[in-house]
Amino acid sequence: MKKACLGFTLIELLVAVSVMGIVFSVGVAQYQEFNRRQIVLQAAQDLKSDLRLAQDKALAGEKPSGCETLEGYRLSFTSEKNYKIEAVCSGGVTSEVKSVDLSGNVTGPSGEWVLFKVLAQGVENPGDFYLSGYGRWVEKVAVEAAGNIYREVAEALPTPTPSKPTPTPTPIITPTPTPSPTYIFADGFESGDLSAWDYSTGGALSASTAARYTGDYGMQAYITGSPTIYVRDNFTSTSEYYARVYFNPNGIVLSSDWNSDMVFLSLSGTTWFLCDVGIRANNPYFIRMIGKDESIGWYDSSYLNISDGWHKIEIIWRAASCGGCNDGYAELIVDGASKYTNSNLNNGNYVANKVSLGVTRWGGGGDGYGTVYFDDFYSAYSP
């Protein structure tokens, strides 16, 4: 009896090869799309850093040689593919500091500019800088009149739809990205530095492996005396805000004087101290929330005992529905348990637009000696 021949037919081989080809082509397309998005994202991050550079030079009043009177520092797009930073001096004299050519297919808003006036005298021509690339990805870097600089998350534009009977794509008229409805900012410090934040005082503040709660890195603040060292995230003004961070006092020695808090998390905007969280010494530590109220000046929780070690700290802040209304809200949550709530705040004239993490201020002349740790920061417009 003749044995059956084991193997594959030509049709089966052709089907297998076709499937492999389809899988490979899809994978390549997805990788290309990811790479293109990263190029646009990196260009936006570089632009935000350069805007911060121009702002810092203006704040410092850094005058180049040959400049009689410094008016400020300007970042301007000379074309769709180039922008430059220059010092602006009296008499129309300028001195170029930096010139940047956008990479890949990324283009910017030709002719747009912003001027940071010297010594914190304000911002001239604040606005939005849109970077787009590959007909699909758009990033916005915004400069507010108050000097806040922030970047919005990249969003994909709709894929062009062929029109009938010709296959010509329908043009996209307004490439405006839609920001995420809740997420604002997050950083687990896994980059090994503090570059994700809009501002850092530097100095005794750094990313380190010793400060990690999750992953490989956290942020540490080395304290001797009463320094203010922190990172700051600027965001679009909002009447509601949520933040979470993991915090470890790590045995720091603090003043035991009443009201001598070391504030490590600060929410601010229209005014400073909208919602702050700090600790002071007490067997081993006290923690409390404090902030601004338009009727009574300040609201604050009682001091609550916490141990030396890692703690999950969360805050929720919401402005009142109107000026003079008493339905604003603040809540402090420690290790998943609500420790303080206030639902009667008169704070309707306040908005939040920045948060600081580190050692943001000292109360009552306090001081400390040691190193504290932070990790896995996350913020959103609502919990």
Side-chain angles (χ1 to χ4, degrees), residues 88-355:
V88 179
C89 307
S90 57
V93 177
T94 61
S95 176
E96 185 173 305
V97 175
K98 186 177 185 179
S99 179
V100 176
D101 291 324
L102 298 178
S103 60
N105 188 253
V106 181
T107 59
S110 179
E112 292 294 327
W113 59 274
V114 61
L115 173 69
F116 298 98
K117 296 183 180 179
V118 68
L119 302 176
Q121 294 180 21
V123 179
E124 186 175 332
N125 199 41
D128 302 332
F129 295 89
Y130 284 98
L131 301 182
S132 60
Y134 303 97
R136 181 162 172 75
W137 301 107
V138 177
E139 283 274 342
K140 184 179 83 170
V141 181
V143 181
E144 296 181 339
N148 300 320
I149 301 171
Y150 65 91
R151 178 190 62 81
E152 288 192 345
V153 179
E155 294 290 335
L157 294 172
T159 302
T161 302
S163 59
K164 297 180 179 180
T166 61
T168 305
T170 302
I172 300 166
I173 299 174
T174 309
T176 303
T178 303
S180 169
T182 58
Y183 167 83
I184 296 178
F185 174 73
D187 188 22
F189 307 101
E190 292 307 291
S191 63
D193 56 36
L194 309 179
S195 61
W197 297 77
D198 291 308
Y199 174 76
S200 171
T201 59
L205 199 67
S206 62
S208 77
T209 56
R212 70 183 184 272
Y213 174 75
T214 62
D216 296 322
Y217 290 93
M219 183 181 78
Q220 68 177 25
Y222 175 66
I223 301 162
T224 54
S226 54
T228 52
I229 47 176
Y230 57 87
V231 289
R232 184 177 68 218
D233 175 52
N234 301 319
F235 49 89
T236 304
S237 294
T238 178
S239 59
E240 186 172 4
Y241 184 81
Y242 165 83
R244 180 212 65 212
V245 68
Y246 288 87
F247 170 68
N248 185 350
N250 191 40
I252 187 172
V253 178
L254 294 172
S255 301
S256 57
D257 297 337
W258 187 254
N259 205 37
S260 58
D261 302 43
M262 182 198 81
V263 176
F264 63 85
L265 180 62
S266 292
L267 179 67
S268 55
T270 312
T271 183
W272 295 102
F273 321 133
L274 290 177
C275 184
D276 287 3
V277 179
I279 62 170
R280 70 176 182 87
N282 181 70
N283 195 29
Y285 302 105
F286 271 144
I287 188 170
R288 74 163 174 168
M289 172 182 279
I290 185 171
K292 285 288 188 72
D293 183 288
E294 296 178 73
S295 295
I296 60 176
W298 295 93
Y299 69 89
D300 63 329
S301 69
S302 59
Y303 281 103
L304 309 162
N305 275 306
I306 62 168
S307 62
D308 186 21
W310 284 105
H311 295 278
K312 180 183 178 182
I313 309 298
E314 298 170 272
I315 63 169
I316 300 173
W317 178 88
R318 185 168 61 247
S321 57
C322 66
C325 293
N326 293 293
D327 56 357
Y329 184 83
E331 181 176 4
L332 172 63
I333 304 168
V334 180
D335 297 326
S338 179
K339 296 297 185 180
Y340 168 76
T341 59
N342 189 329
S343 57
N344 301 299
L345 295 180
N346 178 2
N347 60 356
N349 290 317
Y350 298 150
V351 295
N353 58 31
K354 61 179 73 72
V355 67

Side-chain angles (χ1 to χ4, degrees), residues 1-9:
M1 185 175 184
K2 189 176 182 180
K3 294 182 178 179
C5 183
L6 300 177
F8 297 102
T9 66

